[in-house]
Structure formats: structure tokens, C-alpha cells
Amino acid sequence: MLLKELKDKIEKKEAKIGIIGLGYVGLPILTAFAKKGFSVVGFDVDRQKINQIQAGRSYIKHIPSEDLKNHLIDVTSDMSRLGEVDAIAICVPTPLDIHREPDLSYVVDTTYAIARSLKIGQLIILESTTYPGTTKEVVLPILSRSGFIVGEDFSLAYSPEREDPGNENYSLVNVPKVVGGITTLCRDLAETLYNQIIATTVPVSSTQTAEATKILENIYRAVNIALVNELKILFQKMDIDIWEVIEAAKTKPFGFHAFYPGPGWGGHCIPIDPFYLTWKAREYDVSLRFIELAGEVNTLMPNYVVDKLVAALNNHSKALKNSRILILGVAYKKNVDDQRESPSLKIIQLLQRQGAHIEYHDPYALTCSNHRHYPEINLQSVSLTQEILQNFDAVIITTAHDNVDYDLVAKYSSLIVDTRNVLAAKGLTTENTVVA
């Protein structure tokens, strides 16, 4: 099939769409195309995910199980079937390795799998967040080994995901989609594809520009989060309420956007993506010190929380070792189940290594285990009751979930370390509350 024929096939909804990686990015895309009447095939190496989708059960909170039950969705771990589809979106993880350098092994392995089944006329789109140049310098050479010519025999594009789990105002379909292609035709085909499920697409001049756009978005957030975290530490020493300062600053109708401090950064993007660019910058003899400093500040915030807890326990004539600590929230942000890179995990690790006994409560995340960087953590969420709260030496509020009984927490906890200013916002601060 020629590339120009693929455009017509997409517009008629006759194209078969393949999604590789059925996590927080891939599963929403898969269901979005299925809802629009496309034939879809989801690919994942995780057999548990395959089984749950086949059973019509969603493992992501904001994807209703009905979306899987009410549409014909084919899922498989057999990568040899990639030749069946007309367009492929790559939505695999791009983590950092132990040296905080890019780990593109998932992207590389996936691209080799595609290359083995690549057929004339296919459209390949990388969605995974990465450094500028990845699509052209890593993905394209692997696909080109087939002897096919990009822009003539197959198309290659980059379109970064913009998922924000738990955001009720913005979802996949109403967030503008940036699209860049290796050639103009590649970009136009990718734009045609996404126009079927997304209200607005934003074409840019190259895959590098699209990759850089995603990196900029996450660096902007990472740096500003570090700024307010650093100011929080200073203002606490000056007896100034950082949250009151932010609320007052928000009244300025221009030139200010509010960011809030917390126990650290979390999610798949913000703690990881900026370091993809600092790594790439070294190739050009450029040191991105601003980003590195922001990373240092945010990475150390869990240590700051633990230090505040230790000081608070000391004031109650207690040692951290053998203390019973309840963590309120292991998700990285409120009202979601996503634990990726959550600062709560680092806090749990630090406390356990210092001899504390840890349990947690999270209404969205009932289990906390199998984390890449925290294999020793294996916990189950406990109920939140008067008896349980009274059984702990301290409670650390790490995630500001809405459906938590904070009145109960404030009334029956002997000591509270509040990293999200939840209790103050609700007028529940007690003499045993420490803001961290």
C-alpha cells in the first residue's frame, strides 16, 4: 500500500491501528481509536495486562472498564503480528538507568520488533518522551535496515504524549497534539491519524522540534517546583507561610503561574525527562546547570521530610527507630492510582532503612510493590480508623487525596507531618501538626 493510500484509508476508518505499550499512555490511545470505530490491536509484554483487558477490566483508574467491554479490542504479546496493522504508536517506558542517564532499551527493542515485520505503507509514530534526536538518530536507522526508504515506503513521526492522570478538565481527546515527521508527508500522515481522535493537532517542522517541545514542558514544571520547594525551606525558617504567599501572588493577573511545594517530584515525566536533555547537552559541550540544580533540590525533598519527622519525634521524646509511621498516600499526585516515581516511595525507603515500622493508607493504590527502584517495598493499604491512627507514633501526609477523612486524621493522630498543607487548608491544624 502506498503512503497516499494510507491517508485515504485512515480517513475512511479502514486502517488498523496498533499500540505498543498499554500503560498510562498507550491504553487511552487504544480505547480512543476503538471508540471511533477503528480496528485496533494492543501489544504488551506484560501478560497480566493482556489478561485484564481481555476480561474487560481496566487497571487504570481514569479508563472505565466499560471502554474495554463495549468495543472490539484485540490485545496480544505476539510482536510478530505487527505486520497486520497499518499504523503503529510506540508508547513504551523511557526511564533513567542507575547513573541517571537515558535508558532507551524499551524503544530500541520495540523498534527492532517493528523492523522485523515492517511493510510497505506503514506509519510508525514514537510517543515515548525522549531527548531531541531520538526518532531520527535511533529509531530511523533501525527501520531503514529493511531497505525501505522513509517518506516513500514507510512513514516515521514523533508525537509526544500529554497525559495528566486525574485531570478532569483535560483528557487525550481535548489536549492539542504536537506532531513532527521525518518528512512533510510523514508528518501529514501522523496528523491525519490523530485528527481522527483529537480535537486539535499542532504540526511542527521536525521530529526534533516535537521532542524538544515535550522536554521543555516538563523542564518548565521541574524548575518551578524546585523553586517553591527551596523557598518553602527558607520561608519556614523565616516563619512565613509559603502557601499564603503563593495564594497572595496568584492574585496578580499576569506574569505569575502558581506552583506548590511538596515532598518531592513524581510521575513518569517530571523526575526523568529533564535529565534526558542534560545528557544530550553534553554531546554539544553544554552544561544545563539550571536543570541539574532543580533536580538536586527536588530529589532531596524526601530527605527533608524525614528530617522534619525526626525533629518532631524528638520533641515528643521518641526515636525514629522502632517508631510506627503511617504514610497517607503513595500515589504521586492526588486522586490517582499512579505510583510512578512517587516521593512517598523514597520516604518509605528512607524510614525503613532507619528502623521505622511503616504502613500506609491510600484509597486509590491498594498495593505498593514491584517498583523498579524500590524492590524491597511490599505493602498493602490499611484502613483509616480511629484505632489504627491511635496505633501510630506519627502520620505523614504525602498525597492530598480528596476522599480521605482528614477530620479523623486530625482528631486521633498523635503527631502529623503535613507535606501538602492539607490540614491548614481545611482549618484542621492542631498543635501536633508539623508542616514540611
Side-chain angles (χ1 to χ4, degrees), residues 91-363:
C91 307
V92 297
T94 46
L96 298 172
D97 64 19
I98 59 172
H99 304 293
R100 299 195 70 81
E101 294 188 348
D103 177 5
L104 290 178
S105 59
Y106 297 96
V107 172
V108 170
D109 291 346
T110 298
T111 306
Y112 274 113
I114 295 171
R116 287 191 287 270
S117 301
L118 189 66
K119 65 180 182 179
I120 295 290
Q122 271 186 322
L123 166 63
I124 316 299
I125 306 171
L126 178 61
E127 287 234 1
S128 307
T129 307
T130 185
Y131 61 82
T134 302
T135 306
K136 189 173 184 178
E137 299 166 8
V138 177
V139 177
L140 178 58
I142 296 173
L143 297 178
S144 296
R145 291 179 184 179
S146 63
F148 293 161
I149 300 174
V150 68
E152 296 182 14
D153 301 316
F154 72 96
S155 288
L156 178 60
Y158 181 81
S159 182
E161 55 89 5
R162 281 175 162 173
E163 280 292 315
D164 188 16
N167 191 324
E168 296 181 356
N169 297 318
Y170 295 102
S171 64
L172 172 69
V173 297
N174 65 356
V175 175
K177 197 91 167 75
V178 175
V179 181
I182 295 295
T183 69
T184 301
L185 178 59
C186 294
R187 181 192 67 194
D188 292 347
L189 275 175
E191 192 178 0
T192 298
L193 180 67
Y194 286 121
N195 280 338
Q196 309 307 308
I197 61 170
I198 293 171
T200 305
T201 51
V202 183
V204 294
S205 60
S206 66
T207 55
Q208 296 96 312
T209 299
E211 291 159 340
T213 299
K214 176 63 174 179
I215 290 287
L216 173 60
E217 293 168 5
N218 290 331
I219 289 172
Y220 171 75
R221 296 176 66 192
V223 168
N224 280 282
I225 290 170
L227 174 63
V228 293
N229 276 330
E230 197 164 49
L231 288 176
K232 174 183 70 174
I233 296 172
L234 171 63
F235 287 171
Q236 284 184 346
K237 292 180 180 293
M238 299 173 68
D239 198 25
I240 297 172
D241 185 342
I242 179 66
W243 281 273
E244 183 181 3
V245 172
I246 294 170
E247 290 305 305
K250 279 171 58 178
T251 62
K252 184 180 180 182
F254 55 89
F256 181 83
H257 181 82
F259 287 82
Y260 296 91
W265 51 6
H268 176 66
C269 292
I270 300 175
I272 295 175
D273 302 343
F275 296 106
Y276 267 67
L277 190 61
T278 59
W279 175 84
K280 185 64 175 179
R282 293 199 290 270
E283 181 181 324
Y284 298 88
D285 296 322
V286 174
S287 176
L288 297 179
R289 291 172 290 175
F290 208 56
I291 298 173
E292 293 285 2
L293 180 58
E296 180 181 333
V297 171
N298 288 325
T299 300
L300 289 177
M301 288 312 298
N303 300 76
Y304 175 76
V305 172
V306 171
D307 289 344
K308 295 286 283 189
L309 172 65
V310 170
L313 286 170
N314 285 341
N315 289 335
H316 283 67
S317 302
K318 294 180 180 179
L320 177 59
K321 186 174 182 179
N322 293 324
S323 288
R324 292 178 55 80
I325 311 298
L326 178 66
I327 305 295
L328 274 188
V330 292
Y332 83 90
K333 62 182 289 190
K334 72 175 186 176
N335 303 335
V336 302
D337 56 356
D338 193 347
Q339 301 175 49
R340 292 176 298 172
E341 307 297 326
S342 172
S344 300
L345 303 178
K346 183 63 178 179
I347 291 170
I348 292 172
Q349 182 189 67
L350 291 170
L351 293 174
Q352 287 181 333
R353 288 180 176 179
Q354 295 189 52
H357 301 290
I358 307 300
E359 293 191 64
Y360 83 93
H361 170 77
D362 192 311

